[in-house]
Amino acid sequence: MSKSKKSASKAKKPSVQDEVENLQITFYEIESWIEKTTPVLTRMTKELEKASVHFEKRKKPSLLIRAEQEKKKLEAQLQVLNQPQWSLSFQPGNLLRIDTNITSIEQLIDALKRLQEEEKKVPDIVEDVVQYHDWYSVEYWYNALGRRPKIRLDDYKHDHMNLTGLMKDVSPSVLNSIGQVFWDCLHPKFSSDWNTFWDRSGEVGRNQVCIDSGLSMVFIHVMRHHRDLCQNAQEIACFYYDRAREELMEYFDKPDVSTIEALLNLSMFCMLCKQYSQARNHIGLSLRMMLELGIHKKKKLPTDKVLRKKYLKLFLVLYYNDITSSVYSGEPSLIDDSECDIDFYEIITLNDTLVALNEQKEEKDRINFDNNKTIVKECYFAHVLELLRISKQTLKLIKQGTSVTQLLAQEKQLTTWFSRLPSDFLTKNNNYNHHRLLTMDALSLQGQASLLLLIQYETQWIILHKAVLTEDDRSRRICTESADRIVHASELITQCYGWCVCQQFLNCIYQASTIYCNNALTMHDEGVKDKSKRMIERIICMLKEGSMSYEGLPDDLTECLCEFLTEHNMHLNVDCPCNLKGKNVPVEIGGLP
């Protein structure tokens, strides 16, 4: 055959059969892509479902995101054609369905040609979505929570218990100490002293429910600060819990402020006992009653300032308990922020007004602010709850797989929140040159509040940037610097004030530890790795110091960190607290940079 004939043969227009074969090859390629991708997606989904028992469920697997992007890219390529119309969808059984208005082979071949021509013109779709970093290897929060069994509340029946015998060693001075520990602990609560504790309702029965539920919290709480202060604290707490729960059955028919208060006391009690489902039930019941009474709306709150503050505080405690329950259970919070318009900062302005009104009253008629301790505590509550509201928004955006741009817009909310902090609540304006305080006045509470606000603020930056952390220097730098500040401030809290699981303290140092664990695993710089290991050991020392006050979650977090270090051949410190159980070893504490 001559060269001219060969050229003519090569230039010959493809036949219909050729086009059909090309089309079939294209479909084979699509089918092959599905076959290759599906097993990976299936395996990853099963692994994630299996791991979800221990790890947070807020992260969307990156493989699923890529699969969605591939699907959208393919659909976009098909949609550039005005005629015919295409629609792709995944079906059960690993099938891909293509819906089209094509009715003949000729239309199909023509569509394939146009598709091949347009494919070069269609840019790859790269959505500005959050590419979640793989944190599964360093997340251990739910692993630690699951190590110690929950308190079996059904084993405690108040009518089968001898309260007098249990209380025989609880003298009036011991009881006063237990109560003071509770009121000085910086987490939202209803009463501020024994006078306000005993007087919760004008109705005798409801008042008793509030007292019993409050006593259950007072005694279970002291175990988290001074476990040796009351030997029978757990049994006494469970006695009052069971009695309050039984008494509550008579008051569910009519929503009442005191009933909501009792439910919220019991909800925090259940969280401390690791009865998270029961805690959510109590929160759900109190939320339903609160919605029925309209306490979630500003315009429905009483105009009387004292009563308005009481109702506002009720919502603050509900919101805090709801967030805390979500942190420990891994379940989403129950309160829908879109249905509520309560301004947490209003309690600050109400207190300012009430303090001014006090000056116009005789001393016997004045509101007792406990030498300004109540002012400091409630100012702290307002700021920390507003920060938790921002955190809730951030976690919602992460769960939705929102764009990086939209997610990082949360930075402005955080900086705005920080700018609203009173100067007295900034760490630079407080003095921490002292050791553990036995009594707390307004000034010492203010110093502790400034440190707690700082570590919770820095934790929000970590949560925000962990979601977008890849090799981006800015996000990694922000996470590491925030973790450093958390550790320094937490050491001061440990040294000067002590801490409690009812606060957000443990969750904050946990978040910091995950940054160091990740840096130790992924960074190539040996200096960064060594620093990360040292910071992990400092966190372990703080946890050990906390476990001297009570056994529980601090020990379990310590074990998880030590296991991480050991597994990756990083645990070289023979003086680590995990190797010194039962020994009274001084803990070296650092300070703010």
Side-chain angles (χ1 to χ4, degrees):
M1 185 181 293
S2 66
K3 290 183 179 181
S4 59
K5 289 184 179 181
K6 287 182 180 180
S7 299
S9 176
K10 289 181 180 180
K12 185 176 63 175
K13 184 178 179 179
S15 66
V16 173
Q17 181 64 29
D18 292 334
E19 297 288 5
V20 172
E21 289 177 357
N22 289 337
L23 181 61
Q24 190 174 18
I25 291 172
T26 301
F27 284 130
Y28 284 154
E29 290 174 349
I30 295 174
E31 185 178 357
S32 175
W33 175 79
I34 296 173
E35 289 178 354
K36 290 178 181 178
T37 306
T38 299
V40 177
L41 294 178
T42 303
R43 178 175 56 81
M44 288 296 296
T45 301
K46 289 180 180 178
E47 290 178 0
L48 290 170
E49 288 175 352
K50 185 178 179 180
S52 66
V53 178
H54 305 293
F55 301 120
E56 295 174 299
K57 303 175 183 178
R58 65 175 182 239
K59 306 169 186 66
K60 191 174 182 181
S62 57
L63 280 174
L64 294 177
I65 294 175
R66 289 198 296 270
E68 290 176 3
Q69 288 180 326
E70 289 292 337
K71 175 188 169 185
K72 289 180 179 178
K73 176 183 174 181
L74 191 54
E75 285 182 337
Q77 290 174 339
L78 295 176
Q79 288 171 357
V80 297
L81 308 176
N82 292 326
Q83 290 293 335
Q85 297 176 357
W86 305 76
S87 177
L88 297 180
S89 61
F90 290 104
Q91 300 293 312
N94 302 333
L95 299 177
L96 177 70
R97 175 173 175 173
I98 303 179
D99 293 316
T100 178
N101 60 351
I102 292 177
T103 58
S104 66
I105 292 294
E106 288 74 14
Q107 284 181 306
L108 191 58
I109 293 171
D110 184 58
L112 177 61
K113 289 180 181 178
R114 296 172 61 185
L115 179 62
Q116 291 171 337
E117 293 171 359
E118 294 290 341
E119 186 175 10
K120 299 177 182 179
K121 302 177 185 179
V122 179
D124 287 348
I125 297 177
V126 181
E127 286 192 340
D128 185 24
V129 299
V130 179
Q131 298 293 325
Y132 296 107
H133 187 64
D134 179 16
W135 288 97
Y136 297 117
S137 59
V138 298
E139 298 281 7
Y140 61 94
W141 179 252
Y142 295 106
N143 183 357
L145 283 173
R147 295 195 169 207
R148 202 168 296 263
K150 63 182 69 173
I151 296 176
R152 294 173 56 87
L153 298 179
D154 290 339
D155 293 343
Y156 298 92
K157 300 298 180 183
H158 74 278
D159 50 355
H160 295 158
M161 300 171 72
N162 181 6
L163 182 62
T164 303
L166 293 172
M167 295 281 287
K168 66 180 181 178
D169 295 327
V170 183
S171 64
S173 61
V174 170
L175 184 61
N176 283 331
S177 297
I178 292 172
Q180 202 58 54
V181 168
F182 179 67
W183 291 309
D184 285 344
C185 184
L186 286 174
H187 70 274
K189 58 185 73 69
F190 300 106
S191 59
S192 57
D193 54 26
W194 285 118
N195 290 329
T196 54
F197 183 86
W198 300 121
D199 184 17
R200 305 309 306 163
S201 174
E203 188 177 335
V204 176
R206 291 183 188 272
N207 193 60
Q208 188 60 51
V209 176
C210 285
I211 290 173
D212 285 350
S213 66
L215 286 171
S216 71
M217 262 303 300
V218 166
F219 279 96
I220 202 74
H221 172 267
V222 78
M223 296 170 60
R224 272 70 186 170
H225 286 265
H226 304 289
R227 62 184 176 193
D228 298 326
L229 190 58
C230 179
Q231 295 295 330
N232 298 323
Q234 180 170 309
E235 289 77 10
I236 296 170
C238 291
F239 173 92
Y240 283 114
Y241 168 80
D242 187 65
R243 193 166 81 175
R245 186 175 59 172
E246 184 176 288
E247 293 165 341
L248 264 174
M249 300 303 293
E250 300 180 23
Y251 301 105
F252 282 134
D253 56 335
K254 183 180 178 182
D256 178 82
V257 171
S258 57
T259 306
I260 297 173
E261 180 179 323
L263 283 167
L264 291 175
N265 284 335
L266 297 183
S267 71
M268 182 60 81
F269 174 91
C270 288
M271 277 186 265
L272 296 182
C273 297
K274 294 189 175 181
Q275 296 285 351
Y276 303 124
S277 296
Q278 191 62 38
R280 284 174 64 83
N281 288 340
H282 291 319
I283 293 170
L285 286 170
S286 57
L287 174 59
R288 187 174 66 186
M289 290 185 181
M290 200 171 292
L291 293 173
E292 200 169 329
L293 293 173
I295 300 176
H296 62 303
K297 294 290 186 180
K298 287 188 292 187
K299 65 180 182 181
K300 293 187 177 182
L301 295 178
T303 55
D304 176 81
K305 289 180 171 48
V306 175
L307 198 56
R308 186 178 182 88
K309 178 185 169 182
K310 180 179 180 179
Y311 278 53
L312 185 60
K313 201 167 183 179
L314 201 66
F315 186 83
L316 264 63
V317 175
L318 170 64
Y319 201 93
Y320 187 86
N321 286 14
D322 188 33
I323 293 287
T324 304
S325 171
S326 179
V327 168
Y328 283 92
S329 69
E331 298 293 332
S333 56
L334 296 174
I335 296 176
D336 184 354
D337 286 349
S338 64
E339 296 181 357
C340 310
D341 65 354
I342 295 297
D343 179 8
F344 295 134
Y345 293 121
E346 185 182 351
I347 198 169
I348 299 175
T349 57
L350 281 173
N351 278 337
D352 291 341
T353 303
L354 292 172
V355 167
L357 291 174
N358 259 4
E359 298 176 359
Q360 304 170 16
K361 299 178 181 178
E362 295 184 14
E363 187 171 350
K364 64 181 180 65
D365 297 324
R366 291 176 180 175
I367 298 173
N368 180 16
F369 286 104
D370 195 15
N371 295 317
N372 284 333
K373 287 171 68 173
T374 301
I375 301 293
V376 172
K377 293 175 188 176
E378 292 177 349
C379 182
Y380 166 78
F381 298 158
H383 286 282
V384 79
L385 282 163
E386 186 58 38
L387 183 61
L388 290 175
R389 178 182 275 168
I390 296 172
S391 175
K392 189 175 173 181
Q393 294 169 356
T394 301
L395 292 173
K396 183 178 179 180
L397 291 172
I398 293 172
K399 184 177 180 180
Q400 291 174 342
T402 188
S403 69
V404 174
T405 302
Q406 186 178 358
L407 183 61
L408 293 185
Q410 292 293 101
E411 290 183 351
K412 184 176 181 181
Q413 289 208 50
L414 289 174
T415 54
T416 300
W417 174 89
F418 190 81
S419 69
R420 294 191 64 171
L421 282 179
S423 60
D424 291 342
F425 281 76
L426 299 177
T427 54
K428 65 181 181 181
N429 297 327
N430 284 272
N431 176 25
Y432 308 108
N433 296 323
H434 52 78
H435 293 285
R436 182 71 64 86
L437 295 170
L438 299 178
T439 59
M440 301 285 282
D441 57 15
L443 195 61
S444 54
L445 281 172
Q446 179 181 290
Q448 184 183 16
S450 65
L451 291 169
L452 286 171
L453 288 169
L454 175 65
I455 66 172
Q456 292 176 81
Y457 171 69
E458 297 295 345
T459 297
Q460 299 314 313
W461 284 92
I462 289 178
I463 291 172
L464 179 60
H465 281 272
K466 274 173 71 171
V468 297
L469 181 63
T470 52
E471 297 303 319
D472 176 54
D473 289 337
R474 179 175 181 268
S475 287
R476 187 175 293 277
R477 175 178 54 79
I478 287 173
C479 286
T480 304
E481 290 177 354
S482 290
D484 291 346
R485 284 189 280 268
I486 288 171
V487 170
H488 293 314
S490 298
E491 287 175 330
L492 283 175
I493 294 172
T494 304
Q495 172 182 287
C496 301
Y497 308 102
W499 41 266
C500 173
V501 72
C502 295
Q503 303 156 355
Q504 300 294 319
F505 180 89
L506 284 175
N507 186 49
C508 292
I509 59 173
Y510 162 76
Q511 291 291 348
S513 73
T514 63
I515 298 301
Y516 298 127
C517 290
N518 183 267
N519 285 351
L521 281 181
T522 62
M523 298 298 287
H524 299 295
D525 189 321
E526 290 299 323
V528 174
K529 286 188 173 185
D530 289 341
K531 178 203 169 184
S532 298
K533 287 184 283 186
R534 290 196 305 271
M535 297 303 279
I536 292 172
E537 289 173 356
R538 287 171 66 176
I539 289 174
I540 290 174
C541 285
M542 281 188 285
L543 293 171
K544 179 62 178 178
E545 180 78 0
S547 68
M548 292 179 182
S549 299
Y550 76 96
E551 294 177 344
L553 186 55
D555 289 326
D556 299 331
L557 291 169
T558 298
E559 287 183 7
C560 289
L561 281 174
C562 290
E563 288 171 5
F564 169 83
L565 292 172
T566 302
E567 179 183 353
H568 298 286
N569 298 318
M570 301 177 189
H571 204 332
L572 305 176
N573 184 2
V574 294
D575 294 328
C576 174
C578 73
N579 297 323
L580 298 167
K581 290 184 178 179
K583 299 181 182 179
N584 188 13
V585 180
V587 178
E588 185 177 341
I589 301 295
L592 286 172

